[in-house]
Amino acid sequence: MMGPLLVSIYVFVLAAFLGFELITKVPPTLHTPLMSGANALSGITVLGALSLVTVADPSVGVVLGTLALVLATINVVGGFLVTDRMLSRFGGGGDR
Amino acid sequence: MTGDLIALAALASIALFVVGLKRLSKIRTARSGNLLIASGMLLAVVITLVEQGLVDYRWIAGGLAVGAVVGVLIVVRAKATQMPEIVARFNGFGGAASALVALALFWLEVVEAGADDPAAVVLGMASAITVSLSILIGVTTFTGSILAELKLRGTVKGQPRIPLRGILLTLLLAGGLAAGLGGLFALADPLTASALVAGLVAASLVAGVVLVLPIGGADMPVVISLLNSLSGLAAAATGFALENNLLIIAGTMVGAAGLILTQIMCRAMNRSLANVIVGGYGGDATGGEGAEAYESVVSSDAEEAAMVLESAQSVIIVPGYGIAAARGQHAVKELAAALGRRGVEVRFAIHPVAGRMPGHMNVVLAEAEVPYEQLFEMSEINQDFAHTDAVIVVGANDVVNPAANTQPGSPIAGMPILEVGRARRVFVIKRSLAPGYAGIKNDLFEADNTVMLFGDAKGVLDSLTAEVAEGAPAG
C-alpha cells in the first residue's frame, strides 16, 4: 500500500497536469485578471497558518504563524476582490 | 465519520477551484469563475476551522480580521492603472506567507518543543526538505515581487547589470538550501539549527533581488507571472511540509497554470523565457541605436489633425502605456465619443502586450468606460488598417514598430505588431522621438503618411476633442 508521502506525490503530479490543462487558450484580455485570480488561489497557504496558531500563549512560533495568517488573508481577500473589480469593468458590455 | 465528511468537503472545495479556474480563462464566464474559486476558498477555511475543533481562536480571529481589513483597504484605494502593481504586491504576500508558515512550523515543533533531535527526525524527512524549499521559494518570491512592484511604480528605475549574475544566483539558491538542509538534518541543537535556517532566509531575500533587479519594464509582466507561479509552488511545498493535500493541489495548480500563462505571454512577445530571465531587452541601447537621428519627420497640431479626423469615415485608436502614464484614458474616451457624434466609426486596437501587463490596456480603458464593443484584439483588427482613413497612436511605440517585420536583427524582430502604417493617415501622439522599451528607432515616424503630434497624451487628446467638438456640425 501507499504511504501518505507517496499519495501526496501522486496528488502533486496529477494537479500539475490539471493546472496545465486548465489554462490553455486564454485570450490576452484575461491575462491580468487570470494572473490575479490564480494569485488569490495561492493564498491557500492560509489553511496552513490556521492550523498552526491554535494556542493562546504568545511565543515566537505563534507570532510567526499569525504574521503568515495576516499576509495570506490579505492575499486571499485582496486578490479575489481586485480580480472581481477588474472583471466587473469589462464583462459589462455583453458577449462577443 | 466526521473525518470522512471533512474529507468530502475538501473534495468539494477542490472541485470549485478546478471549475473556477476553467471559467476564469474565458471572458464570458470569468467573473463567475473568480466567485467559484473564492467560495471554494471560504469552504476550505471553514473545513479547517471545523477540523481543529475547540481550540483557542484568539490569534486566528485576530489574524483573519486584520488581514481581511488590510486586503479590502488596499483594493479600495487602488486605481485601475495600478492593478499590475497590486497584483505584484499580493503575490509577494502570498510567497511570504508560505515561507512564514514553514518557519512557524519549524519553530513550534523543533525550537519551542525543546526537541533533542534534529528537525528532520522531529518533522520527518519529507517535511524537513519541503520546509526548506518553502522558505527558499516563498522568500525569493516575496523580495522579487516587492521589487517588481517598485519597478512598475517607477520607484526603482533602470535595469542595472549585476556582474556574474547567473553564478551569483545559483550560489545563493544552492548555498541557502544547503544551509537550511544542514540546519534541519544535522543539528540537534536548536540554536545553531535556527541560525542556519536564518542563513537560508537571508540568501533567499537576496536571491529575489538578484533575480528581478536587472529585468526591464517591458518584461515585468512575464516576471510577475513567473513569480505568481512560484508563489503557488511555495504553497504546495508548505502543503508537503504540513501533509495537507488541499494545499498541495491548489498550490500546484497555480504553479502549473502560472507557468503556462508565462509561456503564452512570452509567445505573444516572441521571446523565450530564458531570454527574459537573462534580461536586457535593449537595456544598454539608451545611447546607442535609440539615439539614431530621425529625418523628414512631419509634425502638426491639433487643429489640422482634427480636420482630417472629422472628415474620416473610420478611425482606429491604438493605445499604449503612455496613455496610462498620462492618465489619458478618460480623454481618449471623450475624443472617441466626439468623433462618434460626427458619424465617424471609432474602434480601439489593443496589442496583446500594450501597457505594462498583458491585458493592461483593457483594464485601463474599461475604467474610463470605453464601450467593450469598440475594443478589438490585434488578430481581429489587423487586416482592417488598410481600409481605415486615420489611425491615432497614443503613447505606443514598440507595438507599432515595423522593424519587427522588416529588420531581422532588431530586438523586437518577429514580434507581431499592429500594422498601422497601412492606413491612409497615421497620427502619433508622443512626447518626443525618444525610443520605447526596446530602445530602437521607429521607421513609422518617418513614413509619408505619418504625422507626429508632440505633447502629453492627455493634453493633446483634450485639444483634439475640443477642436472636433468646435468644428462645423456634421451634416
Side-chain angles (χ1 to χ4, degrees), chain A residues 23 32 56 59 61 84-85 96, chain B residues 31 59 75 78 112 260 358 375:
Chain A
I23 314 296
T32 299
S59 67
D84 188 65
R85 186 174 144 185
R96 241 196 328 207
Chain B
R31 203 173 175 194
W59 291 91
V75 175
E112 277 173 21
I260 278 277
L375 307 183

Side-chain angles (χ1 to χ4, degrees), chain B residues 132-155:
Chain B
S132 313
L133 282 177
S134 173
I135 296 174
L136 181 82
I137 306 174
V139 174
T140 305
T141 307
F142 173 65
T143 42
S145 298
I146 297 306
L147 185 57
E149 185 193 350
L150 294 177
K151 282 193 151 219
L152 284 172
R153 186 178 286 174
T155 316

Side-chain angles (χ1 to χ4, degrees), chain B residues 306-307 310-311 338 341-343 466-475:
Chain B
M307 275 164 55
E310 281 166 26
S311 58
R341 279 194 293 274
R342 302 184 70 85
E467 292 291 344
V468 170
E470 245 175 48

Side-chain angles (χ1 to χ4, degrees), chain A residues 4-96, chain B residues 17-18 21-22 24-28 30-31 34 37-38 41 44-45 48 52 55-56 58-60 63-64 66-68 70-72 75 78-80 83 87 90-91 93-94 96-98 100-101 104-105 107-108 112 126 221 224-225 228 231-232 235 238 240 242 245-250 252-254 256-257 260-261 264-265 352 357-360 362-363 366-367 372-373 375-377 380:
Chain A
L5 176 63
L6 206 53
V7 174
S8 294
I9 293 175
Y10 266 69
V11 160
F12 173 74
V13 173
L14 291 178
F17 281 117
L18 188 56
F20 279 121
E21 284 308 312
L22 284 175
I23 314 296
T24 37
K25 286 183 182 145
V26 208
T29 314
L30 280 179
H31 282 171
T32 299
L34 183 65
M35 211 192 288
S36 146
N39 182 21
L41 179 54
S42 75
I44 185 83
T45 200
V46 71
L47 304 188
L50 283 176
S51 66
L52 290 180
V53 290
T54 51
V55 287
D57 23 296
S59 67
V60 177
V62 170
V63 170
L64 286 175
T66 308
L67 194 56
L69 179 57
V70 170
L71 289 181
T73 310
I74 295 176
N75 186 3
V76 168
V77 174
F80 286 122
L81 266 184
V82 87
T83 311
D84 188 65
R85 186 174 144 185
M86 279 188 248
L87 291 172
S88 70
R89 297 275 164 78
F90 46 96
D95 6 333
R96 241 196 328 207
Chain B
F17 294 158
V18 173
L21 212 49
K22 184 77 200 157
L24 198 54
S25 67
K26 297 208 176 53
I27 292 180
R28 260 187 308 119
R31 203 173 175 194
N34 184 52
I37 300 180
M41 189 70 86
V45 169
T48 309
Q52 279 162 205
V55 295
D56 199 304
R58 269 174 280 179
W59 291 91
I60 291 179
L64 283 176
V66 172
V70 175
V72 171
V75 175
K79 298 191 183 72
M83 290 302 161
V87 173
F90 286 151
N91 209 5
F93 286 177
S98 291
L100 281 168
V101 168
L105 177 71
W107 202 272
L108 287 167
E112 277 173 21
I224 294 175
S225 179
N228 185 11
S231 79
T238 311
F240 271 102
L242 292 169
N245 282 334
L246 208 51
L247 256 72
I248 298 178
I249 293 174
T252 310
M253 285 198 311
V254 173
I260 278 277
L261 200 54
I264 295 174
M265 287 182 196
M357 197 172 234
H360 188 190
N362 300 74
V363 177
E367 194 204 33
Y372 186 67
E373 308 82 65
L375 307 183
F376 291 86
E377 282 173 28
E380 295 175 306

Side-chain angles (χ1 to χ4, degrees), chain B residues 375-446:
Chain B
L375 307 183
F376 291 86
E377 282 173 28
M378 178 168 67
S379 56
E380 295 175 306
I381 203 167
N382 232 355
Q383 68 281 4
D384 288 1
F385 284 111
H387 325 289
T388 299
D389 298 316
V391 171
I392 310 174
V393 177
V394 195
N397 189 345
D398 297 331
V399 297
V400 294
N401 191 340
N405 294 336
T406 56
Q407 296 170 17
S410 149
I412 58 167
M415 179 172 100
I417 56 156
L418 289 163
E419 292 167 5
V420 300
R422 294 169 168 224
R424 211 156 298 153
R425 296 293 286 277
V426 180
F427 294 100
V428 178
I429 302 179
K430 208 171 174 311
R431 271 177 309 192
S432 67
L433 284 172
Y437 281 131
I440 50 170
K441 182 180 167 177
N442 194 338
D443 290 338
L444 174 74
F445 301 164
E446 284 180 343

